Amino acid sequence: MELRQKILLTILIGFLPIIILFSIVGFYYFEQDVTKFELERLDGIGASIHAHIYDNIERNYERLQGITSRTQLRESLDAYNTNFSTEHQQKIEKIITDGKNSINEFKEIMIFDPQGNLAASTNYDVDPKIFSNSEVFEKGLIRNYLDIDMGLNNEPTLFLSGPMYLDGKLIGVTIILSEPNSITDVTSDYISFGETGESFMAKKTTSGDAIFITPLRFDNDAQLKKTIPFTSYEIPITQALLKNEDSFENSIDYRGKEVLASTRYIVDTDWGLVVKIDKDEAFESLNTLKSITIFSILISIGFAVGASIILSQKITKPIEELQLATHSISKGDYDIKIKQSKDELGALLHDFKKMGTSLKKSRKQLRDLREVEESKENFLSMVTHELRTPLTPILGWCEALKEPKILGSLNEKQIGAIDSIEVCAIRLKKLIEDVLDVQKLDIGKFKIRTKEFPIHELIKNIKTEFEIIAQEKNIDFTIQCPNNFNLDSDRERIKQVITNLLNNAKDFVPEKNAKISLTVKEDVDQIIFSLSDNGIGINKEQQQELFKKFYQIDTSVTREHQGSGLGLSICKGIIETLGGKIWVESQKGKGTTFYFTIPHKKEVYNK
Amino acid sequence: MARIMIVDDSDEIRGLLKKIIEMANHDVVGEAIDGVQAIAKFEKLRPDVLLLDLAMPKKSGLEVLQELHPKFPKMRTIVITANGDTDVYYDCIKYGAIGYIDKPFEIKEVLDQIAEVQNLIV
């Protein structure tokens, strides 16, 4: 996955779940609180209305009492009940008319005897039989009674009724028809009910169903007409009539809408009171919060995505550029064009660009050096070939001349002359080889070939070869070498070094009692070779310069030791290439010992 | 005894080698002065042993071997090298070289190499 996408995903995964989680949890708890709050509020309103209704019912009873307690009325009624005189009837009429007029809401007042016969009325057009057979009358016989029902002209009416006594004797029933305002106004005040809230009351019909006795906010035609079946337990009014005073979180109202409701029961009149509000409205604030929350989440997501895109852009773009630059460098193109910003990444790119430039320079330098190397090598090859080619027939013919089978025999003088040529040619050959060895060591093209060989045999071989010269010059040449192991190194080159050292030594030993000894010793992980002579020795200053190229101890014109001065520097080069060290120990007048080491693994075996 | 062909661009060296070889009673059946000649003559003469100089004009000794060896896998070649560079010799081994002589050489060296090559059952 790309770096950019990784960053984006990380930010989103890290950032969003937390926001979403907190939002959901917060929202859930807030919902709980709001519900509780609303229900409590409804409850409070319900209690308040309940109390208000009670007060008004009481007031109505008091109004009733205001009529029924009148002594004159009762005395007149009692008298009328006995003699049915018009005089008494008129007295009653006057009292009830006054009573009716004194209270606005009173529409009609009727007085009945205990048998249900009309004694007096404020309006004789009203058929008394309607009332004498009704519950209003029946209940009124016993005690004060209040009801709301359809009255004259099919209008909702408040019925008040109550018994009248005189000297402990029941003499009649007062029935008052009143406007129901004192009751219905209480529930019809929707001031603190928002748009969908309301309160209302209902009573039970004879079949047990609920019938609304107050107007409904959303049904103009409901009062005393609309009923709710008593089986509708989910509807609050049913619960209210079942005397369940409670708050309900999940109710349906008469419109089929989800509501919060609080129910009350009015004992006196067997009415149910419901205070309700649509859930939608109650949780309006909650829904707003829900929308805000979702909106916030979306905005957060938007921000998170935006921020992470920008961030990843800012981070990955320089990295991408860096990667491209690295790629082009790896392909050999060092010209980096990078846009720079003023921060750490910009600084990095800038340094990278500088590195690219210096790398380009280094590469060029390397190329130049290689060219020089190559030309040196070519020179080497050419020189090798060109110098050796003429030397071949010179040396070859010298040898051939001395071989009678090829060109016949020669006399001594002739042989002597050829020897002279040969000696010089050999010297020339050695010089060429030395120069080429030095060249190869210099440019690191000096090749060694390692192979296991018995060291003892090499030393013996060297002794044999040197024997002739040793005898000529009266040198006592001794060797000392253990004969029980092989050395894994370049035999020819080691021989070259020892031979070189020997050739040096032979020129610096005294004329008499000359001694040279060659010793080989086994050490922990190396072999130590030492070549000692009892010659004139080398002083400290000379020792410093000894292994340098072209250094000759004796630079006089008539020098005896003929050499190129390269021998020791070649020895040093060879030994170091073989992994060893070479050094000298000497004192002027006290002889010289050359030491060199060859690394050696302890795999010794017995021959 | 052996039928030998000498390939070298230097007249002197060819002359010298001829003398040495004839002294040892071998036959010099042919000479070549460069790689192209070498290939042409080899195919005609089919010598027992080939003495082959490596550094030559037109075609080098190595190139000669590369061309001839596939056709004559049993050819016996001694390369003569003035380079002192035995790496080239190892390259030649891949193409059938079985001996080498360094320039400048000694008579003994040349004869020893020829004798060895003769004794080999190729």
Side-chain angles (χ1 to χ4, degrees), chain A residues 198-236:
Chain A
E198 63 174 335
S199 61
F200 51 79
M201 292 190 287
K203 65 178 184 183
K204 285 195 257 220
T205 62
T206 40
S207 58
D209 294 341
I211 185 168
F212 294 100
I213 56 176
T214 59
L216 293 182
R217 191 171 181 181
F218 302 106
D219 191 345
N220 293 331
D221 225 12
Q223 192 176 22
L224 292 166
K225 290 186 192 150
K226 191 176 172 78
T227 60
I228 303 286
F230 69 88
T231 51
S232 315
Y233 296 114
E234 73 282 6
I235 296 191

Side-chain angles (χ1 to χ4, degrees), chain A residues 6-52:
Chain A
K6 270 192 195 157
I7 293 180
L8 190 68
L9 220 61
T10 307
I11 292 179
L12 284 179
I13 288 175
F15 188 49
L16 281 182
I18 294 182
I19 290 201
I20 294 176
L21 187 71
F22 272 110
S23 306
I24 291 176
V25 167
F27 184 79
Y28 172 74
Y29 279 109
F30 187 69
E31 193 177 25
Q32 301 289 84
D33 277 353
V34 167
T35 309
K36 196 163 140 209
F37 175 74
E38 285 297 321
L39 286 175
E40 277 171 15
R41 195 170 74 96
L42 278 181
D43 229 27
I45 295 174
S48 158
I49 294 177
H50 194 185
H52 207 169

Side-chain angles (χ1 to χ4, degrees), chain B:
Chain B
M1 296 166 293
R3 298 173 61 249
I4 301 179
M5 183 167 124
I6 306 173
V7 180
D8 196 305
D9 57 338
S10 155
D11 294 336
E12 292 84 17
I13 293 179
R14 280 202 319 280
L16 179 61
L17 282 170
K18 186 160 189 225
K19 279 279 181 253
I20 296 173
I21 290 167
E22 283 173 346
M23 176 199 83
N25 289 324
H26 297 300
D27 278 329
V28 176
V29 298
E31 292 176 34
I33 63 170
D34 60 52
V36 174
Q37 247 193 34
I39 293 170
K41 287 202 173 174
F42 185 94
E43 299 200 0
K44 264 210 299 237
L45 297 168
R46 307 288 181 94
D48 297 333
V49 181
L50 180 66
L51 281 182
L52 179 63
D53 182 24
L54 288 184
M56 288 190 295
K58 293 199 190 160
K59 270 208 170 118
S60 72
L62 181 60
E63 285 170 308
V64 168
L65 277 180
Q66 283 170 339
E67 267 199 53
L68 287 178
H69 183 66
K71 294 190 219 163
F72 308 98
K74 290 200 179 153
M75 64 187 286
R76 305 180 210 173
T77 309
I78 300 168
V79 297
I80 308 170
T81 163
N83 245 344
D85 193 356
T86 40
D87 277 0
V88 186
Y89 172 57
Y90 284 129
D91 284 339
C92 295
I93 289 180
K94 281 190 246 162
Y95 298 97
I98 47 183
Y100 83 97
I101 302 170
D102 247 331
K103 282 191 210 168
F105 45 73
E106 292 173 19
I107 295 179
K108 184 174 183 301
E109 259 187 85
V110 176
L111 295 178
D112 278 349
Q113 284 282 323
I114 294 176
E116 258 195 61
V117 161
Q118 265 195 299
N119 291 337
L120 283 172
I121 303 166
V122 178

Side-chain angles (χ1 to χ4, degrees), chain A residues 380-382 384-385 388-397 399-400 403 405-407 429 433 440 447 449, chain B residues 9-10 12-13 15-16 19-20 23 53 55 81-87 90 102-108:
Chain A
L380 198 62
S381 307
M382 187 205 69
T384 316
H385 188 258
R388 284 188 179 167
T389 302
L391 260 184
T392 308
I394 293 174
L395 282 168
W397 282 117
E399 211 187 340
E403 176 52 67
K405 285 197 244 171
I406 300 180
L407 293 167
K429 176 178 162 205
E433 279 171 11
K440 282 193 226 167
K447 293 201 177 73
R449 208 165 313 121
Chain B
D9 57 338
S10 155
E12 292 84 17
I13 293 179
L16 179 61
K19 279 279 181 253
I20 296 173
M23 176 199 83
D53 182 24
T81 163
N83 245 344
D85 193 356
T86 40
D87 277 0
Y90 284 129
D102 247 331
K103 282 191 210 168
F105 45 73
E106 292 173 19
I107 295 179
K108 184 174 183 301

Side-chain angles (χ1 to χ4, degrees), chain A residues 73-326:
Chain A
L73 173 66
R74 281 182 289 137
E75 281 173 354
S76 301
L77 178 60
D78 193 29
Y80 178 78
N81 281 344
T82 321
N83 58 28
F84 300 102
S85 73
T86 320
E87 189 200 336
H88 285 120
Q89 193 185 46
Q90 278 173 349
K91 275 200 185 139
I92 299 171
E93 278 167 9
K94 186 172 184 304
I95 294 171
I96 61 179
T97 306
D98 278 346
K100 170 186 143 182
N101 291 334
S102 71
I103 295 180
N104 264 341
E105 283 135 3
F106 284 175
K107 291 201 281 205
E108 309 293 357
I109 302 182
M110 285 173 272
I111 307 291
F112 292 84
D113 70 11
Q115 283 74 43
N117 303 315
L118 183 70
S121 171
T122 51
N123 185 350
Y124 288 100
D125 289 336
V126 175
D127 182 3
K129 291 226 178 55
I130 304 172
F131 306 101
S132 52
N133 289 330
S134 70
E135 205 178 345
V136 181
F137 176 78
E138 300 294 334
K139 291 271 164 72
L141 274 172
I142 306 165
R143 58 170 180 79
N144 287 348
Y145 175 78
L146 186 151
D147 190 20
I148 294 181
D149 210 337
M150 283 301 194
L152 309 170
N153 308 324
N154 254 343
E155 281 170 14
T157 307
L158 174 75
F159 291 92
L160 280 165
S161 63
M164 286 176 291
Y165 290 95
L166 188 65
D167 298 328
K169 187 175 69 171
L170 177 69
I171 53 168
V173 174
T174 307
I175 296 184
I176 304 178
L177 274 62
S178 167
E179 301 278 5
N181 298 30
S182 57
I183 303 295
T184 59
D185 280 355
V186 177
T187 58
S188 303
D189 181 6
Y190 302 129
I191 289 278
S192 47
F193 281 89
E195 306 277 309
T196 63
E198 63 174 335
S199 61
F200 51 79
M201 292 190 287
K203 65 178 184 183
K204 285 195 257 220
T205 62
T206 40
S207 58
D209 294 341
I211 185 168
F212 294 100
I213 56 176
T214 59
L216 293 182
R217 191 171 181 181
F218 302 106
D219 191 345
N220 293 331
D221 225 12
Q223 192 176 22
L224 292 166
K225 290 186 192 150
K226 191 176 172 78
T227 60
I228 303 286
F230 69 88
T231 51
S232 315
Y233 296 114
E234 73 282 6
I235 296 191
I237 194 62
T238 313
Q239 295 293 326
L241 287 168
L242 287 170
K243 306 183 189 174
N244 246 343
E245 291 190 329
D246 207 347
S247 28
F248 298 90
E249 213 176 309
N250 296 307
S251 301
I252 315 274
D253 73 346
Y254 56 86
R255 294 128 73 214
K257 285 224 165 135
E258 284 190 6
V259 295
L260 291 181
S262 181
T263 56
R264 298 264 155 175
Y265 177 70
I266 295 149
V267 181
D268 241 25
T269 51
D270 195 26
W271 288 344
L273 167 68
V274 170
V275 176
K276 71 167 183 59
I277 189 165
D278 282 7
K279 260 186 153 172
D280 282 346
E281 190 175 4
F283 296 137
E284 211 172 348
S285 58
L286 205 67
N287 287 332
T288 310
L289 184 70
K290 205 188 263 182
S291 308
I292 290 178
T293 308
I294 291 177
F295 188 62
S296 312
I297 290 177
L298 288 175
I299 297 240
S300 300
I301 293 177
F303 263 119
V305 170
S308 41
I309 287 178
I310 293 176
L311 183 68
S312 65
Q313 185 90 342
K314 282 250 175 309
I315 294 178
T316 59
K317 190 142 203 308
I319 292 177
E320 275 167 12
E321 289 203 346
L322 205 62
Q323 191 263 327
L324 283 170
T326 315

Side-chain angles (χ1 to χ4, degrees), chain A residues 2 50 498:
Chain A
E2 281 179 33
H50 194 185
I498 297 176

